[in-house]
Amino acid sequence: MTNIAIAGAGAMGSRIGSYIKQAGYSVTLIDTWEDHVRAINTNGLEVQTETDTYTVNIPAILPTEVTESFDFIIILTKAMQSESMIQELYNRGAIHQDTAILTMMNGLGHDERFKKIVPHSQIFLAVTMWTAGMRGPGQILLEGQGSIEFQRADGQVDHRTEAINKIFNDAGLNAKVSNNVFQSIWSKATLNSVLNPLCSILNKTIYEFGSYEHTRAMVQPIIEEIVAVGQTRGVTLDAEALLKKIEAAYPKETQGLHYPSMHQDLYHGRYTEVDYLNGQISQYGREANIPTPNNDMLTHLIHQLEMKYVK
Ligand code: NAD
């Protein structure tokens, strides 16, 4: 895999892309944000960490400027931009018959949408514990450590699996091949489907939310719906373990001082990924005749807030 593209090079895409580039691979960032692309090409990508600021020289292009094909494409747009990105890459010949297309986006159902455009056997799914933030066009803020777990979406292992694992680990991204990536994706999606909308609707940090003595009465019904819906799709989730994971995020020493990303998107006037979290649970629930009133309501409340805040 000699030619790598990051399609969607915002905060996370820039983090992953810069790490792989610094490990000596050929990497191109592809993004629709013109000011960001221009800044990276003019000044390099400026990376600020807790201790250091440095520049990574890495080529950046708009999707409409793609003229070559890639062996490995990592999709890190926001979920709602991903299909148009893949379609554009496909139309421009960026995807050949052996290209591995991997996404680390949060949310559910990405493989089902992607396989309408590219063969299922070329799609890889990942969950990541790395985080990243944007400071401005061409500038990212990187804190903490993380990991990546990934698997081909149809569960098969092929020559690309080990090649991807090597690229990620050469880049220090702490990756491993999963034998049940859906379990991890659904677990993370459960955390996100609870804390993202609740903290956004309440305009609270995770710590402020967790300080209320009746949080369990709010959280448990949401988890129960997700567990029931997951069951209909062959994913077995442990409601008690998920509740513990959510509660482990409350203290100030863990994630308590943060607002979840949905809060940041909403109050900065951007659409959220709610349709790929609670909204996707509701959709799967409708398909399986499982009622999901809590997830339905959270989706509606976030859409109401989007009407108010998205410019
Ligand atoms: P992001 O908002 O930084 O970038 C997503 C897209 O929005 C990019 O194409 C970017 O160029 C564009 N964009 C961002 N700011 C813009 C601006 N001011 N003007 C115009 N365009 C702008 O998103 P992200 O945080 O990198 O997330 C990408 C995916 O990764 C999402 O599915 C997210 O849920 C997931 N994810 C993010 C993190 C994180 O810590 N950021 C962690 C894990 C997973």
Side-chain angles (χ1 to χ4, degrees), residues 39-299:
I40 294 170
N41 287 324
T42 309
N43 307 318
L45 178 71
E46 187 189 294
V47 181
Q48 185 180 320
T49 70
E50 287 115 330
T51 53
D52 197 12
T53 301
Y54 60 91
T55 301
V56 182
N57 288 317
I58 182 166
I61 56 174
L62 298 168
T64 49
E65 293 172 335
V66 171
T67 54
E68 59 186 323
S69 70
F70 298 94
D71 308 312
F72 181 27
I73 301 177
I74 303 175
I75 307 288
L76 270 166
T77 57
K78 290 284 192 182
M80 47 281 193
Q81 304 154 340
S82 60
E83 278 162 276
S84 60
M85 175 64 87
I86 294 185
Q87 188 66 60
E88 179 81 37
L89 294 176
Y90 182 79
N91 294 346
R92 298 199 150 267
I95 298 171
H96 59 65
Q97 60 185 18
D98 206 35
T99 302
I101 300 159
L102 176 143
T103 187
M104 280 178 224
M105 295 185 299
N106 283 326
L108 300 170
H110 303 313
D111 54 321
E112 292 157 23
R113 285 180 284 274
F114 289 8
K115 73 183 186 190
K116 292 181 190 152
I117 306 169
V118 294
H120 198 192
S121 59
Q122 288 181 241
I123 302 169
F124 290 73
L125 297 174
V127 190
T128 183
M129 294 301 140
W130 291 98
T131 62
M134 286 301 314
R135 292 177 54 239
Q139 298 174 313
I140 56 170
L141 177 65
L142 305 185
E143 293 172 316
Q145 294 296 308
S147 58
I148 297 171
E149 199 184 312
F150 75 98
Q151 187 180 26
R152 208 171 101 171
D154 61 8
Q156 304 292 310
V157 174
D158 67 22
H159 62 283
R160 293 167 297 197
T161 309
E162 203 35 57
I164 294 170
N165 203 30
K166 179 169 171 10
I167 291 167
F168 283 154
N169 285 304
D170 284 350
L173 286 164
N174 192 17
K176 68 172 187 191
V177 181
S178 174
N179 56 19
N180 191 356
V181 79
F182 285 100
Q183 174 99 26
S184 305
I185 288 172
W186 277 70
S187 295
K188 190 174 184 202
T190 305
L191 266 65
N192 286 331
S193 297
V194 169
L195 293 175
N196 276 274
L198 289 174
C199 291
S200 301
I201 294 159
L202 295 166
N203 194 8
K204 285 187 160 189
T205 62
I206 295 171
Y207 171 78
E208 287 166 342
F209 170 72
S211 304
Y212 178 57
E213 62 180 311
H214 300 297
T215 50
R216 281 197 173 187
M218 300 175 74
V219 166
Q220 267 166 331
I222 306 167
I223 297 179
E224 278 160 23
E225 289 177 10
I226 299 174
V227 171
V229 169
Q231 200 70 49
T232 70
R233 304 189 72 82
V235 178
T236 304
L237 298 167
D238 177 344
E240 192 56 36
L242 289 167
L243 178 65
K244 288 216 172 80
K245 266 195 179 178
I246 289 166
E247 292 183 342
Y250 298 162
K252 288 181 179 168
E253 309 76 62
T254 56
Q255 293 169 61
L257 293 175
H258 293 276
Y259 290 102
S261 60
M262 185 179 286
H263 181 285
Q264 294 175 33
D265 284 336
L266 191 61
Y267 294 103
H268 283 101
R270 299 187 293 261
Y271 285 106
T272 73
E273 293 183 305
V274 71
D275 285 338
Y276 303 85
L277 295 165
N278 311 81
Q280 186 66 67
I281 296 293
S282 297
Q283 173 67 32
Y284 289 152
R286 280 192 292 279
E287 288 169 16
N289 276 324
I290 304 270
T292 56
N294 291 287
N295 282 283
D296 299 355
M297 182 57 79
L298 289 171
T299 307

